C-alpha cells in the first residue's frame, strides 16, 4: 500500500508540474513545451535509474515515487502523439517529422545525459576516476 501511495504522490507532483509548464506561452507551430517536458523527464528518469543502481541505498519506494510517479505524471507521450498527429493533419509535415524524430532522439539523449550526470557525481563523491 505504501508503494501505491508513493506512486500516487509522485504522479500528482509530476502532473501538476506538467500542467504548470503547459501554461507557459510559446508561439509557433512547434510544441516546444511538450518537447521540453519530455526531454527533462528523460534526463530525470535516466538520473534516477543510474542513482538506483550499484547498491545506492535509494529505497525502492523512492525509486517508485521518482520513476513511476513523478516521471510518469510529468512526461507526456500521449500529448506528444496527439500534437504530432495534429501537425501532420494540418499539412505541417516537416514540422511534424522534426518534432517526432527530434523528440525521440532528444529523449534518448536525455536518458544518457541523466545517467552520465549521476555517474559523474558519484565519481566525484567517491574520488574515483572510473564512473
Amino acid at each position: 500500500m505504501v508503494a501505491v501511495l508513493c506512486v500516487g504522490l509522485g504522479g500528482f507532483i509530476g502532473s501538476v508540474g506538467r500542467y504548470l509548464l503547459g501554461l507557459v506561452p510559446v508561439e509557433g507551430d512547434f510544441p516546444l513545451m511538450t518537447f521540453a517536458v519530455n526531454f527533462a523527464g528523460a534526463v530525470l528518469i535516466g538520473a534516477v535509474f543510474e542513482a538506483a543502481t550499484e547498491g545506492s541505498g535509494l529505497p525502492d519506494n523512492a525509486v517508485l515515487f521518482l520513476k513511476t510517479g513523478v516521471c510518469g505524471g510529468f512526461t507526456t507521450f500521449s500529448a506528444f502523439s496527439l500534437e504530432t498527429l495534429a501537425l501532420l493533419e494540418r499539412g505541417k509535415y516537416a514540422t511534424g517529422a522534426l518534432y517526432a524524430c527530434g523528440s525521440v532522439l532528444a529523449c534518448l539523449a536525455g536518458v544518457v545525459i541523466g545517467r552520465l550526470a549521476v555517474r559523474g557525481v558519484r565519481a566525484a563523491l567517491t574520488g574515483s576516476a572510473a564512473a
Side-chain angles (χ1 to χ4, degrees), residues 15-129:
S15 296
V16 169
R18 165 66 182 107
Y19 170 73
L20 293 174
L21 285 172
L23 297 176
V24 174
V26 178
E27 294 193 25
D29 289 325
F30 192 83
L32 183 61
M33 289 313 297
T34 302
F35 183 90
V37 162
N38 285 338
F39 177 74
V43 172
L44 179 60
I45 204 166
V48 170
F49 175 82
E50 191 64 31
T53 61
E54 298 184 28
S56 67
L58 193 61
D60 289 345
N61 284 334
V63 174
L64 283 172
F65 170 80
L66 293 167
K67 248 174 56 175
T68 306
V70 175
C71 291
F74 185 65
T75 58
T76 55
F77 192 77
S78 57
F80 154 75
S81 300
L82 182 63
E83 290 167 345
T84 301
L85 182 61
L87 287 167
L88 297 174
E89 287 177 341
R90 291 194 330 255
K92 308 254 181 198
Y93 302 114
T95 303
L98 174 65
Y99 180 53
C101 295
S103 292
V104 170
L105 293 174
C107 289
L108 287 171
V111 171
V112 171
I113 290 167
R115 290 184 69 184
L116 291 175
V118 169
R119 287 179 188 175
V121 168
R122 185 179 287 141
L125 293 175
T126 61
S128 167

